[in-house]
Amino acid sequence: MLDTCLYVDDVISGADALSQALKISKDAGTLMKNASRKLRKWNSNDQSLMKTWEYKGLETHPRHSENNSGVQSSKVLGIPWNVIHDYFTIDVKGLLELDISKPITKRIVLQSACKIYDPVGFLSPYTIKLKCLLQELWLRKLA
């Protein structure tokens, strides 16, 4: 799990059952402790799991951060996560806004593609289209 779910200093994983989540957290904590590292800011959408982690002395993530709409959220790799309903929110405002006062160039297309912060790849089915467009512009040698 650590090989596939470790992103710099964040581990993002899940489990189907409370017992499985507890085993994963215990095993990951032991492995990281053996490497002189400490996993902290544990977070879950399951309150009983959060309480169990706190009881076992694990440092949990603050649960009371709220966004503008009053919904409890946390950030995972910089992406807002609705902790209660277990979904991610990606802000796409301004994504399709182009400055039409200037000619559309490859640089503008690249800037549009780079506006999308998606480290996990949730939007890959959409961002690939922008990347393919940019590749086509280069192949056709268009400005």
Side-chain angles (χ1 to χ4, degrees), residues 9-135:
D9 62 350
D10 289 337
V11 176
I12 302 166
S13 185
D16 293 325
L18 180 65
S19 60
Q20 184 184 12
L22 286 171
K23 180 173 177 10
I24 287 171
S25 60
K26 182 182 176 193
D27 293 348
T30 302
L31 280 170
M32 294 303 280
K33 186 177 181 181
N34 291 339
S36 300
R37 301 283 182 243
K38 181 181 179 183
L39 292 177
R40 52 190 192 88
K41 294 193 217 174
W42 292 89
N43 203 348
S44 173
N45 60 339
D46 186 308
Q47 284 288 7
S48 61
L49 179 59
M50 290 290 288
K51 287 179 182 171
T52 303
W53 281 337
E54 289 170 4
Y55 175 76
K56 293 189 178 274
L58 293 174
E59 182 183 333
T60 57
H61 193 277
R63 295 282 296 197
H64 301 291
S65 56
E66 294 186 357
N67 61 18
N68 296 342
S69 64
V71 177
Q72 279 191 346
S73 67
S74 183
K75 286 201 173 186
V76 177
L77 294 177
I79 301 172
W81 171 42
N82 181 308
V83 177
I84 303 301
H85 299 290
D86 197 21
Y87 65 81
F88 291 96
T89 305
I90 298 176
D91 184 16
V92 293
K93 282 187 259 176
L95 204 56
L96 298 175
E97 295 173 6
L98 293 174
D99 183 1
I100 56 172
S101 65
K102 300 175 188 172
I104 307 260
T105 62
K106 287 183 281 205
R107 180 182 297 264
I108 299 295
V109 175
L110 180 61
Q111 285 174 346
S112 294
C114 291
K115 283 183 183 179
I116 303 168
Y117 178 71
D118 184 27
V120 181
F122 291 138
L123 298 177
S124 292
Y126 304 100
T127 57
I128 190 69
K129 292 181 184 228
L130 277 173
K131 293 173 185 177
C132 288
L133 172 62
L134 190 58
Q135 184 179 31

